Amino acid sequence: MELTDIQRKFVLHWGEMGSMWGVNRTVSQIHALLFVHGKPIHAEELSDTLGVARSNVSNSLKELQAWNLVRVTHMLGDRRDYFETSVDVWELFRTVVRERKEREFDPTIRVLREIVASPDFQKESADAQDRIRSTMDLMAKLATWADEMLRLSPGTLDKVLTLGASVQKFVRGDSPAPAPTAGKDDPDAHHASLPMI
Protein backbone atom coordinates (compact mmCIF):
# COMPACT_ATOMS: atom_id res chain seq x y z
CA MET A 1 0.00 0.00 0.00
CA GLU A 2 1.32 3.43 -0.92
CA LEU A 3 0.77 6.06 1.76
CA THR A 4 0.13 9.69 0.95
CA ASP A 5 2.45 12.25 2.53
CA ILE A 6 -0.31 13.15 5.02
CA GLN A 7 -0.90 9.52 5.98
CA ARG A 8 2.85 8.90 6.35
CA LYS A 9 3.24 11.98 8.58
CA PHE A 10 0.26 10.91 10.72
CA VAL A 11 1.53 7.33 11.13
CA LEU A 12 5.10 8.41 11.93
CA HIS A 13 3.96 11.01 14.45
CA TRP A 14 1.57 8.57 16.14
CA GLY A 15 4.47 6.14 16.50
CA GLU A 16 6.57 8.86 18.16
CA MET A 17 3.71 9.81 20.49
CA GLY A 18 3.16 6.16 21.36
CA SER A 19 6.78 5.90 22.48
CA MET A 20 6.27 8.92 24.75
CA TRP A 21 3.17 7.25 26.26
CA GLY A 22 5.08 4.03 26.93
CA VAL A 23 3.66 2.14 23.92
CA ASN A 24 5.90 0.34 21.42
CA ARG A 25 6.42 2.44 18.27
CA THR A 26 5.36 -0.32 15.87
CA VAL A 27 2.20 -0.98 17.89
CA SER A 28 1.31 2.72 17.64
CA GLN A 29 2.14 2.92 13.95
CA ILE A 30 0.01 -0.12 13.11
CA HIS A 31 -2.91 1.34 15.01
CA ALA A 32 -2.45 4.71 13.29
CA LEU A 33 -2.29 3.06 9.86
CA LEU A 34 -5.47 1.05 10.47
CA PHE A 35 -7.21 4.18 11.76
CA VAL A 36 -6.18 6.54 8.96
CA HIS A 37 -6.76 3.92 6.23
CA GLY A 38 -10.21 3.13 7.62
CA LYS A 39 -10.43 -0.32 6.03
CA PRO A 40 -9.24 -3.80 7.09
CA ILE A 41 -5.63 -4.65 6.24
CA HIS A 42 -3.88 -8.04 6.40
CA ALA A 43 -0.60 -8.52 8.27
CA GLU A 44 1.62 -8.83 5.18
CA GLU A 45 0.40 -5.50 3.86
CA LEU A 46 0.95 -3.89 7.27
CA SER A 47 4.49 -5.29 7.29
CA ASP A 48 5.26 -4.12 3.74
CA THR A 49 3.73 -0.67 4.20
CA LEU A 50 5.52 0.06 7.47
CA GLY A 51 8.76 -1.70 6.51
CA VAL A 52 8.84 -3.81 9.67
CA ALA A 53 9.35 -7.55 10.18
CA ARG A 54 6.31 -9.80 9.92
CA SER A 55 7.02 -11.15 13.43
CA ASN A 56 7.01 -7.60 14.79
CA VAL A 57 3.64 -6.96 13.12
CA SER A 58 2.26 -10.22 14.54
CA ASN A 59 3.35 -9.37 18.09
CA SER A 60 2.09 -5.80 17.75
CA LEU A 61 -1.32 -6.97 16.53
CA LYS A 62 -1.59 -9.32 19.51
CA GLU A 63 -0.90 -6.41 21.85
CA LEU A 64 -3.48 -4.21 20.10
CA GLN A 65 -6.03 -7.02 20.36
CA ALA A 66 -5.27 -7.40 24.09
CA TRP A 67 -6.03 -3.68 24.48
CA ASN A 68 -9.32 -4.16 22.53
CA LEU A 69 -8.12 -1.62 19.96
CA VAL A 70 -7.96 -4.01 16.99
CA ARG A 71 -10.24 -6.82 15.89
CA VAL A 72 -9.88 -9.59 13.32
CA THR A 73 -12.16 -9.68 10.29
CA HIS A 74 -12.24 -11.72 7.08
CA MET A 75 -12.81 -11.13 3.38
CA LEU A 76 -14.76 -13.41 1.07
CA GLY A 77 -12.43 -15.67 -0.90
CA ASP A 78 -9.38 -14.81 1.23
CA ARG A 79 -8.20 -17.08 4.05
CA ARG A 80 -5.96 -14.46 5.63
CA ASP A 81 -6.88 -12.58 8.78
CA TYR A 82 -7.53 -8.90 8.24
CA PHE A 83 -7.33 -6.34 11.01
CA GLU A 84 -9.36 -3.23 11.64
CA THR A 85 -9.84 -0.62 14.32
CA SER A 86 -12.67 1.72 15.12
CA VAL A 87 -12.68 4.90 13.09
CA ASP A 88 -14.66 6.66 15.83
CA VAL A 89 -12.20 8.75 17.90
CA TRP A 90 -14.57 8.81 20.88
CA GLU A 91 -14.84 5.03 20.93
CA LEU A 92 -11.04 4.76 20.77
CA PHE A 93 -10.66 7.34 23.54
CA ARG A 94 -13.09 5.45 25.76
CA THR A 95 -11.33 2.14 25.06
CA VAL A 96 -7.91 3.55 25.94
CA VAL A 97 -9.20 5.22 29.12
CA ARG A 98 -11.05 2.06 30.21
CA GLU A 99 -8.07 -0.23 29.52
CA ARG A 100 -5.51 2.05 31.19
CA LYS A 101 -7.77 2.48 34.21
CA GLU A 102 -8.21 -1.28 34.60
CA ARG A 103 -4.48 -2.01 34.10
CA GLU A 104 -2.89 0.90 35.95
CA PHE A 105 -5.23 2.89 38.18
CA ASP A 106 -7.35 0.13 39.70
CA PRO A 107 -4.38 -2.06 40.79
CA THR A 108 -2.61 0.98 42.27
CA ILE A 109 -5.70 1.99 44.25
CA ARG A 110 -6.01 -1.58 45.56
CA VAL A 111 -2.38 -1.59 46.71
CA LEU A 112 -2.74 1.82 48.37
CA ARG A 113 -5.85 0.62 50.21
CA GLU A 114 -3.96 -2.48 51.39
CA ILE A 115 -1.11 -0.29 52.60
CA VAL A 116 -3.44 2.03 54.53
CA ALA A 117 -5.30 -0.95 56.05
CA SER A 118 -2.07 -2.63 57.16
CA PRO A 119 -1.28 -2.50 60.92
CA ASP A 120 2.26 -1.43 59.97
CA PHE A 121 0.89 1.72 58.33
CA GLN A 122 0.42 3.33 61.75
CA LYS A 123 4.16 2.98 62.37
CA GLU A 124 4.91 5.37 59.51
CA SER A 125 5.39 9.06 60.24
CA ALA A 126 2.26 11.22 60.20
CA ASP A 127 3.58 13.07 57.14
CA ALA A 128 4.14 9.84 55.23
CA GLN A 129 0.66 8.60 56.18
CA ASP A 130 -0.87 11.88 54.97
CA ARG A 131 0.96 11.68 51.63
CA ILE A 132 -0.09 8.08 51.02
CA ARG A 133 -3.72 8.78 52.00
CA SER A 134 -3.76 11.90 49.80
CA THR A 135 -2.43 9.89 46.86
CA MET A 136 -5.03 7.18 47.44
CA ASP A 137 -7.86 9.73 47.71
CA LEU A 138 -6.80 11.57 44.55
CA MET A 139 -6.48 8.36 42.54
CA ALA A 140 -9.85 7.10 43.81
CA LYS A 141 -11.53 10.39 42.80
CA LEU A 142 -9.93 10.29 39.36
CA ALA A 143 -11.02 6.67 38.92
CA THR A 144 -14.59 7.55 39.90
CA TRP A 145 -14.53 10.51 37.52
CA ALA A 146 -13.25 8.26 34.71
CA ASP A 147 -16.04 5.74 35.37
CA GLU A 148 -18.62 8.52 35.20
CA MET A 149 -17.15 9.92 31.97
CA LEU A 150 -17.14 6.45 30.38
CA ARG A 151 -20.88 6.18 31.02
CA LEU A 152 -21.61 9.27 28.93
CA SER A 153 -22.48 9.14 25.26
CA PRO A 154 -19.86 10.62 22.91
CA GLY A 155 -22.09 13.65 22.27
CA THR A 156 -22.54 14.35 25.96
CA LEU A 157 -18.84 13.75 26.67
CA ASP A 158 -17.97 16.28 23.96
CA LYS A 159 -20.28 18.81 25.62
CA VAL A 160 -18.77 18.13 29.06
CA LEU A 161 -15.25 18.71 27.73
CA THR A 162 -16.34 21.91 25.99
CA LEU A 163 -18.13 23.06 29.13
CA GLY A 164 -15.04 22.28 31.22
CA ALA A 165 -12.89 24.50 28.98
CA SER A 166 -15.47 27.30 29.23
CA VAL A 167 -15.65 27.00 33.02
CA GLN A 168 -11.85 27.14 33.31
CA LYS A 169 -11.72 30.33 31.22
CA PHE A 170 -14.55 31.84 33.25
CA VAL A 171 -12.89 30.99 36.60
CA ARG A 172 -9.53 32.38 35.42
CA GLY A 173 -11.27 35.55 34.25
CA ASP A 174 -10.42 34.99 30.57
CA SER A 175 -14.11 35.27 29.63
CA PRO A 176 -15.84 38.60 29.94
CA ALA A 177 -18.41 38.73 32.69
CA PRO A 178 -22.00 38.61 31.41
CA ALA A 179 -23.39 42.08 30.83
CA PRO A 180 -26.18 43.22 33.14
CA THR A 181 -29.55 42.52 31.55
CA ALA A 182 -33.18 42.95 32.28
CA GLY A 183 -33.10 39.45 33.81
CA LYS A 184 -31.04 40.60 36.79
CA ASP A 185 -33.45 38.93 39.16
CA ASP A 186 -33.13 35.60 37.32
CA PRO A 187 -30.90 33.38 39.51
CA ASP A 188 -29.65 31.54 36.42
CA ALA A 189 -28.87 34.65 34.39
CA HIS A 190 -25.16 34.49 35.26
CA HIS A 191 -24.93 31.12 33.48
CA ALA A 192 -25.98 32.57 30.14
CA SER A 193 -22.44 32.67 28.73
CA LEU A 194 -21.79 28.96 29.44
CA PRO A 195 -22.77 26.29 26.90
CA MET A 196 -25.53 23.99 28.10
CA ILE A 197 -25.30 20.20 28.16
Side-chain angles (χ1 to χ4, degrees):
M1 168 193 323
E2 195 64 37
L3 297 178
T4 66
D5 288 342
I6 296 294
Q7 291 171 337
R8 186 175 295 104
K9 187 172 185 176
F10 180 83
V11 169
L12 287 172
H13 178 72
W14 209 250
E16 296 299 322
M17 288 305 300
S19 296
M20 292 179 192
W21 294 332
V23 178
N24 176 286
R25 180 175 301 165
T26 304
V27 170
S28 299
Q29 287 180 345
I30 288 172
H31 188 250
L33 178 56
L34 290 170
F35 176 76
V36 77
H37 184 63
K39 296 176 186 138
I41 306 173
H42 58 78
E44 292 86 12
E45 191 168 13
L46 288 167
S47 177
D48 292 343
T49 303
L50 295 174
V52 295
R54 178 70 173 79
S55 59
N56 194 353
V57 168
S58 179
N59 290 332
S60 297
L61 287 167
K62 286 176 187 170
E63 186 169 340
L64 286 164
Q65 287 175 290
W67 280 87
N68 292 315
L69 288 170
V70 164
R71 58 192 164 267
V72 176
T73 189
H74 296 95
M75 301 293 180
L76 281 175
D78 193 334
R79 292 180 172 214
R80 293 176 294 193
D81 288 340
Y82 281 71
F83 300 88
E84 64 182 352
T85 189
S86 175
V87 293
D88 179 345
V89 293
W90 288 106
E91 182 182 336
L92 291 174
F93 170 76
R94 291 158 70 103
T95 300
V96 169
V97 169
R98 185 180 307 108
E99 292 292 326
R100 292 206 85 132
K101 180 183 172 298
E102 288 175 5
R103 293 163 186 251
E104 298 165 16
F105 256 65
D106 293 348
T108 303
I109 292 168
R110 280 193 297 273
V111 168
L112 288 170
R113 286 182 176 148
E114 287 172 16
I115 289 171
V116 170
S118 167
D120 292 336
F121 183 68
Q122 300 305 319
K123 297 175 187 172
E124 297 295 323
S125 70
D127 287 347
Q129 289 182 40
D130 287 345
R131 286 191 291 274
I132 292 172
R133 277 196 192 97
S134 295
T135 303
M136 182 183 69
D137 291 344
L138 174 62
M139 292 193 72
K141 285 176 185 171
L142 288 172
T144 300
W145 177 83
D147 285 338
E148 291 303 318
M149 292 301 105
L150 289 171
R151 287 186 184 99
L152 300 177
S153 69
T156 303
L157 185 55
D158 184 37
K159 290 176 184 175
V160 167
L161 292 174
T162 302
L163 177 63
S166 297
V167 169
Q168 288 176 2
K169 287 179 184 177
F170 182 76
V171 169
R172 283 193 313 259
D174 296 347
S175 296
T181 63
K184 270 199 311 199
D185 297 331
D186 179 1
D188 293 325
H190 65 286
H191 295 294
S193 66
L194 299 177
M196 299 308 290
I197 294 179

